[in-house]
Amino acid sequence: NAPCANLADHFVVGNFNDYQTVLDFGQTVDVLTIEIEHVNVEALETLEKQGKIVRPSSKVLRVIQDKLIQKQFFVKNNIPTSEFVEIKNKTDILSHGDFLPAAQKTRTGGYDGQGVTLLRNEADVQNKGFDTPSVLEKLVDIEQELSVIVARNKSGEIKTFPTVGQDFDPELNLVKFVYAPAQITKKVDTICQDLAKELAEKLKLEGILAVEFFLNTDGNVLVNEMAPRAHNSGHWSIEGSITSQFEQL
């Protein structure tokens, strides 16, 4: 029932977390890309060793699939991001009570509001906390959420789409509106654009990367998280720019 099934010359139904399924599918194509990060990365590594082109690379996915590794990557590369601690289970959250209010994000498997919960007090921890390895991020006083789609090719050439503003549905934690370009100062715009380019360079990206930011009430820009794929904050580009994010990918 996938929308593309009737349009594609060849369509496979399978679990993209299963090693053999991804490996078998990869054998049938020259170039492999993704629309979600949660793909069996070991299979992608095997395909790369066999000479298949995989974009984004398995190395990029290794960093981005795990929220803890992603946050540690920010810290290692001096990328501004919100304070965080590693959480092993729900009990572990209570030992970091001074960190509340916070956002808990499961280390793997989360996307589009899934695997994220806001914990304002100990009652929330008991009622809504995840009992799984996670990252606990100190809540940021957000003025606006922003995003930049950056494209980088094999030669190291980089281009960015305009910085956009995002409004989120508070219940679903999903993007409701995207404003292109964002209503921000030139200084904030430059910071977002430069950080997106820097991250693409640090990752040695080939393809596209969506970088999501928090602009806090003090006027500081913090990187929230990244997605190495076509992203809902870039869908406006299909009809709003000369080349869309999909063509850049």
Side-chain angles (χ1 to χ4, degrees), residues 106-248:
T106 57
R107 286 184 58 172
T108 58
Y111 71 100
D112 277 355
Q114 305 298 310
V116 179
T117 186
L118 295 181
L119 307 174
R120 299 189 179 280
N121 48 50
E122 289 191 7
D124 282 349
V125 174
Q126 298 294 353
N127 297 326
K128 301 193 298 178
F130 301 127
D131 194 20
T132 189
S134 310
V135 173
L136 195 65
E137 297 184 14
K138 208 164 187 61
L139 217 56
V140 176
D141 197 0
I142 300 169
E143 181 179 303
Q144 193 175 169
E145 297 203 35
L146 305 167
S147 175
V148 173
I149 306 286
V150 55
R152 182 179 183 273
N153 67 14
K154 193 173 184 177
S155 304
E157 294 175 303
I158 290 182
K159 291 289 184 182
T160 54
F161 285 94
T163 308
V164 300
Q166 302 176 85
D167 275 351
F168 283 75
D169 184 302
E171 296 299 319
L172 299 174
N173 198 27
L174 292 170
V175 173
K176 196 170 184 179
F177 296 105
V178 172
Y179 305 98
Q183 299 302 299
I184 50 177
T185 65
K186 180 63 179 173
K187 179 183 177 183
V188 169
D189 182 45
T190 300
I191 291 170
C192 292
Q193 293 280 315
D194 288 348
L195 282 169
K197 293 173 187 174
E198 184 178 353
L199 285 165
E201 289 278 17
K202 298 282 189 187
L203 288 166
K204 295 183 173 59
L205 176 82
E206 289 180 39
I208 64 169
L209 181 74
V211 184
E212 294 187 285
F213 305 91
F214 294 139
L215 174 63
N216 70 14
T217 50
D218 293 330
N220 297 315
V221 174
L222 304 171
V223 175
N224 177 23
E225 53 191 40
M226 309 178 286
R229 55 174 168 80
H231 192 258
N232 53 13
S233 68
H235 289 330
W236 65 272
S237 66
I238 297 170
E239 295 170 318
S241 59
I242 294 169
T243 64
S244 76
Q245 63 172 346
F246 294 95
E247 187 170 355
Q248 290 297 332

Side-chain angles (χ1 to χ4, degrees), residues 27 33 40 46 56 58 73 123 132 153 159 167 243:
Q27 308 288 359
T33 189
N40 189 293
T46 301
S58 60
F73 177 84
T132 189
N153 67 14
K159 291 289 184 182
D167 275 351
T243 64

Side-chain angles (χ1 to χ4, degrees), residues 8-122:
D9 293 326
H10 182 58
F11 187 83
V12 176
V13 176
N15 180 353
F16 39 69
N17 283 303
D18 179 70
Y19 175 87
Q20 197 61 46
T21 299
V22 175
L23 188 64
D24 290 345
F25 178 79
Q27 308 288 359
T28 69
V29 299
D30 299 313
V31 181
L32 195 66
T33 189
I34 60 166
E35 68 153 10
I36 192 168
E37 293 88 297
H38 313 301
V39 177
N40 189 293
V41 75
E42 287 79 15
L44 298 181
E45 287 173 339
T46 301
L47 290 166
E48 286 170 334
K49 289 173 184 173
Q50 293 175 355
K52 300 292 185 180
I53 298 171
V54 180
R55 300 291 182 270
S57 71
S58 60
K59 289 180 181 177
V60 170
L61 281 177
R62 283 253 182 234
V63 173
I64 291 176
Q65 275 186 346
D66 187 320
K67 290 289 196 300
L68 178 62
I69 294 173
Q70 189 177 154
K71 292 287 276 190
Q72 290 170 338
F73 177 84
F74 294 152
V75 172
K76 180 182 176 182
N77 289 283
N78 297 312
I79 302 295
T81 192
S82 57
E83 290 182 68
F84 68 97
V85 290
E86 178 183 356
I87 296 296
K88 292 181 170 59
N89 50 44
K90 187 185 284 192
T91 306
D92 208 10
I93 304 173
L94 296 173
S95 67
H96 292 89
D98 58 332
F99 222 72
L100 302 178
Q104 184 188 10
K105 297 179 179 179
T106 57
R107 286 184 58 172
T108 58
Y111 71 100
D112 277 355
Q114 305 298 310
V116 179
T117 186
L118 295 181
L119 307 174
R120 299 189 179 280
N121 48 50
E122 289 191 7

